[in-house]
Amino acid sequence: MTAATRVNDRLAMPLPATISEAIALEMERDPTILCIGEDIGRAGGVFGATRGLQERFGEDRVMDAPIAEMGFTGMGVGLAQAGMRPLIEIMFVDFVGVCLEQMYNAAAKVPYMSGGRQRMPVVFKTAGGCIGSAAQHSQCLWGLFAHLPGFKVVAPCSPHDHKGLMAAALRSDDPVVFIEHKALLLKKGRDFRHHPDVPDGAYTLPIGRAAVVRRGSDITLATLSATVEHALSAAEDLAEEGVSVEVIDLRSVVPLDTATVAESAGRTGRLLVVDEDYLSFGLSAELSMRVLEMLGFSALTQVERLAVPDVPIPAALTLEKAVVPGPEMIADRLRRMAKGS
Amino acid sequence: MVAMRAFDEACLEALRRKAIHGELHVGIGQEAIGAGMAEALEPEDAVVSTHRNHYHALAKGVDRRALLAEICERAAGLCQGRGGHMHPFDPSTNFSATGIVGASLPVALGYAHAFGMRGMDAVAVGITGDGGSHTGGFHEALVMAGARKLPMVVLVENNALAISVQFDDVSPTKTVAERAAAYSALGLHVDGTDVDAVADRFAEAMDHARSAGGPVIIEATCHRFRGHFEGDPEGYRSKEERQRLRETYDPITLYRQRLTTAGLFEDGALDAIQAEEKAAMKVLLSEVLDMPMPDPAGVLDYLFVEEVPA
């Protein structure tokens, strides 16, 4: 295969195929990895992110679960305690309401409660984000998991990061909540504005390092997941208007790479945090405060946040667009900040 | 049984001496279950227990010094003072517990699947009470264990009280064991105050699960002699009722009667055994209370294995 065909394949490849590839490479490497979830086996996942895995690795290692999230989430805890490395798929992150008990009271706390004697290598893979599915199928909830001590919380954007961070999550000895975005799962490689080359073999990225995905000098914009793509689109618009925006993909909420954001904001003097999760008690305030604590309260001229106001996600497109930060909403806020208002 | 009771009596003494500053749930009156299960447990078997877990831990072979030190919040405790009495974790004996009622069973299910995948003949024992038998986790874990014929034994300690709520008032079935049919599981019932009967029935349950027969629900009926937690005002039952239960259903008294009636032991010999266990626990407790408390400087340790990159 020539380099050119390979690149073309990656451009045509849906994001879920890259995720499935990452899981397969790790399952090949480590026989203790197994996957449990609804529709992940025979159907290959509702987005195709586990396609082909059951044929390759068998039903014991890629198990179609009944709609019993509390049961199979707790099963993940027991499997980890028994020395396995389970990946538990909660189809949509909104469904954690029925199994959060096993996640936050067991998985997240057992390593600490055991005084470090019991490791908890579990990946909770789930999909969040808005694609028009209204209040019970559109949330992000990374702020919720980040608020509860004991989880690492990852929400990548590019296919490159999905592959490297999924491998890192599966190799981690800590519980990792891996939140995909449904809108990204519907994209192919070529649809991404930011699409670094995806190596064919297995590789890991460190969990907890942000990436500067566009250099700029006037405003620092920090965000993650699908909003990175919206931010890049807004930054392109602003560039035409003479405003240079630096875009940072946080890639994880826990650990939160404050240093990278602070370094950038220290240079630009302006920070905007955009979050598709709810506004209050969330990522946008936490990151803003951490940056200010790191730089000092007089280091920045503007600190703003843009997130979903504290309402459930509505069904109608006009209403959804009014609350979820998209390219236009982000561009408007950047323009206002650039004017210094 | 006698060692188990002496252990929980030492916990009560530790509480009186203010070495335990939170809730304490002792199992006094339920010793026949802990002692009865010990014989059929193999080292590789897993036990996932409840908020009332001391006897199960001792039955699984958890070191009693480390366990008592953890209950007394000491740095040398099983979990270095991070878990406390409701959350003992001992990977070396495959023992763990949860303070959330009913949450033990999905975790046991995970052990059972791991054992099945590895082709081991180990069994996962998930323990709950009558209260936990009404939870969604109980149902979900048994659905999956039944469908996959996993080696899981669900031990239900039915003391007929979920804090104050009586089993008969809220259960749709007369017993928990009879629900086994719904999950293609074997349902067993045993008098949980009779240590010989528990040992026989529990061994039967373990054999069934170990020989690929699928999950088992074994229900052991018993009585909780003290409050749900120490300090429970027990407004839901009278002093007389509690007294009656202690006089009628004490598993140690009942077993002593059996041993003396059969002419195997005399009362004096049995008294000596009880006194010996009590004395041993007294010594152990005083040693534990001399151990240092955890250093507050380490309060953030153990949250993650891999630290946050700099």
Side-chain angles (χ1 to χ4, degrees):
Chain A
M1 188 191 290
T2 65
T5 15
R6 203 187 66 73
V7 169
N8 285 335
D9 286 348
R10 288 284 172 192
L11 291 176
M13 195 186 262
L15 174 63
T18 300
I19 297 169
S20 165
E21 178 192 2
I23 299 169
L25 286 166
E26 293 309 303
M27 290 185 76
E28 253 170 29
R29 206 182 55 79
D30 184 346
T32 66
I33 297 174
L34 73 163
C35 306
I36 302 174
E38 292 154 9
D39 306 294
I40 65 162
R42 196 179 301 167
V46 290
F47 293 97
T50 50
R51 190 160 294 157
L53 296 182
Q54 194 179 61
E55 288 97 313
R56 272 180 77 182
F57 298 104
E59 289 184 19
D60 269 354
R61 288 186 71 193
V62 183
M63 186 199 294
D64 272 321
I67 302 173
E69 283 93 348
M70 164 98 76
F72 68 76
T73 303
M75 195 176 185
V77 172
L79 282 160
Q81 289 186 183
M84 306 296 285
R85 306 182 79 88
L87 178 152
I88 303 298
E89 174 159 308
I90 312 297
M91 188 189 290
F92 282 19
V93 73
D94 312 75
F95 306 164
V96 297
V98 296
C99 60
L100 193 58
E101 155 53 29
Q102 289 290 347
M103 293 180 71
Y104 88 119
N105 264 326
K109 292 179 184 170
V110 166
Y112 186 85
M113 291 196 295
S114 70
R117 296 191 69 196
Q118 182 64 66
R119 294 187 173 194
M120 193 51 63
V122 188
V123 177
F124 298 104
K125 173 183 175 296
T126 186
C130 284
I131 50 165
S133 303
Q136 295 180 341
H137 291 72
S138 294
Q139 299 173 100
C140 294
L141 299 186
W142 40 68
L144 170 73
F145 297 114
H147 185 69
L148 303 166
F151 294 119
K152 291 192 171 161
V153 183
V154 178
C157 184
S158 74
H160 170 266
D161 290 356
H162 274 87
K163 187 171 172 186
L165 287 168
M166 175 53 81
L170 286 167
R171 292 184 198 188
S172 173
D173 280 335
D174 296 315
V176 178
V177 183
F178 190 97
I179 307 175
E180 300 153 345
H181 193 291
K182 296 189 281 292
L184 298 177
L185 290 169
L186 299 172
K187 282 182 192 279
K188 294 185 166 64
R190 70 167 66 91
D191 303 329
F192 285 83
R193 281 188 161 73
H194 179 68
H195 183 50
D197 187 43
V198 180
D200 285 336
Y203 61 94
T204 62
L205 296 171
I207 295 175
R209 289 264 167 83
V212 178
V213 294
R214 182 186 171 100
R215 290 280 168 196
S217 54
D218 296 329
I219 302 175
T220 298
L221 190 169
T223 189
L224 79 174
S225 188
T227 312
V228 172
E229 288 285 308
H230 301 325
L232 288 168
S233 161
E236 282 167 23
D237 291 348
L238 270 283
E240 287 171 15
E241 300 165 26
V243 180
S244 168
V245 179
E246 180 145 305
V247 178
I248 296 174
D249 180 352
L250 296 165
R251 302 198 285 197
S252 62
V253 185
V254 181
L256 185 58
D257 186 353
T258 310
T260 295
V261 181
E263 187 280 320
S264 170
R267 264 190 291 109
T268 62
R270 294 183 174 120
L271 173 63
L272 172 64
V273 184
V274 186
D275 189 5
E276 195 186 320
D277 200 356
Y278 302 119
L279 177 71
S280 295
F281 313 99
L283 170 65
S284 56
E286 185 62 37
L287 180 57
S288 302
M289 191 64 190
R290 287 192 193 189
V291 168
L292 289 171
E293 284 170 341
M294 192 173 275
L295 295 177
F297 283 79
S298 55
L300 304 181
T301 54
Q302 283 176 309
V303 180
E304 297 208 6
R305 52 202 181 113
L306 181 59
V308 174
D310 305 324
V311 287
I313 306 296
L317 182 60
T318 50
L319 299 177
E320 186 191 275
K321 279 187 125 172
V323 296
V324 178
E328 299 83 13
M329 197 190 284
I330 297 168
D332 285 349
R333 181 62 71 92
L334 288 167
R335 266 181 217 111
R336 264 176 41 201
M337 287 179 74
K339 284 180 193 149
S341 60
Chain B
M1 280 199 288
V2 165
M4 287 174 174
R5 178 158 305 175
F7 186 91
D8 263 358
E9 282 172 346
C11 291
L12 293 175
E13 176 59 21
L15 187 69
R16 280 191 287 272
R17 296 210 220 158
K18 302 194 188 313
I20 304 168
H21 83 290
E23 266 184 298
L24 178 67
H25 311 86
V26 295
I28 291 173
Q30 302 183 192
E31 291 84 357
I33 301 171
M37 65 191 282
E39 279 179 33
L41 286 170
E42 299 293 338
E44 69 270 21
D45 293 336
V47 171
V48 185
S49 178
T50 68
H51 57 286
R52 205 178 305 285
N53 56 56
H54 305 166
Y55 297 167
H56 311 141
L58 296 172
K60 192 66 184 77
V62 175
D63 179 66
R64 71 178 180 178
R65 172 184 297 268
L67 183 63
L68 187 63
E70 185 60 34
I71 293 166
C72 294
E73 310 171 9
R74 304 290 141 163
L78 188 67
C79 305
Q80 305 194 55
R82 268 72 172 176
H85 109 91
M86 271 192 281
H87 318 105
F89 294 87
D90 187 19
S92 68
T93 57
N94 274 347
F95 179 82
S96 66
T98 170
I100 306 296
V101 170
S104 48
L105 304 184
V107 178
L109 178 72
Y111 276 103
H113 183 52
F115 295 155
M117 278 181 74
R118 292 181 190 139
M120 295 167 68
D121 64 0
V123 174
V125 181
I127 307 178
T128 192
D130 47 294
S133 77
H134 306 315
T135 63
F138 177 93
H139 172 68
E140 292 187 14
L142 275 157
V143 164
M144 294 182 76
R148 302 185 71 85
K149 271 197 141 188
L150 293 178
M152 181 166 86
V153 168
V154 174
L155 169 62
V156 179
E157 292 182 307
N158 185 349
N159 62 23
L161 279 176
I163 303 188
S164 68
V165 175
Q166 295 200 26
F167 180 74
D168 291 343
D169 289 346
V170 293
S171 176
T173 51
K174 278 207 156 38
T175 66
V176 178
E178 71 194 78
R179 301 181 201 164
Y183 306 110
S184 299
L186 173 67
L188 300 174
H189 189 278
V190 67
D191 175 358
T193 66
D194 179 341
V195 67
D196 287 334
V198 173
D200 289 348
R201 280 301 219 192
F202 189 73
E204 183 187 343
M206 294 297 280
D207 286 346
H208 182 87
R210 216 182 286 287
S211 54
V216 183
I217 298 176
I218 173 168
E219 176 181 18
T221 43
C222 55
H223 303 279
R224 157 159 67 70
F225 288 176
R226 301 183 65 88
H228 164 65
F229 65 99
E230 290 309 309
D232 181 355
E234 292 186 75
Y236 46 85
R237 61 179 175 184
S238 66
K239 258 188 185 161
E240 293 71 31
E241 168 64 2
R242 216 167 51 201
Q243 192 56 34
R244 188 187 68 81
L245 293 176
R246 282 180 184 164
E247 282 165 7
T248 320
Y249 297 112
D250 186 332
I252 294 177
T253 309
L254 292 171
Y255 198 53
R256 283 184 62 133
Q257 282 164 359
R258 180 174 301 163
L259 292 175
T260 48
T261 307
L264 296 171
F265 284 91
E266 293 193 350
D267 272 328
L270 295 171
D271 288 343
I273 293 171
Q274 279 185 269
E276 201 177 300
E277 289 297 336
K278 233 179 164 140
M281 281 311 302
K282 203 176 168 187
V283 171
L284 186 60
L285 179 63
S286 79
E287 286 169 9
V288 163
L289 295 184
D290 282 341
M291 293 175 176
M293 295 291 285
D295 182 352
V299 71
L300 298 182
D301 294 348
Y302 310 120
L303 189 61
F304 293 119
V305 176
E306 295 136 13
E307 282 315 311
V308 176

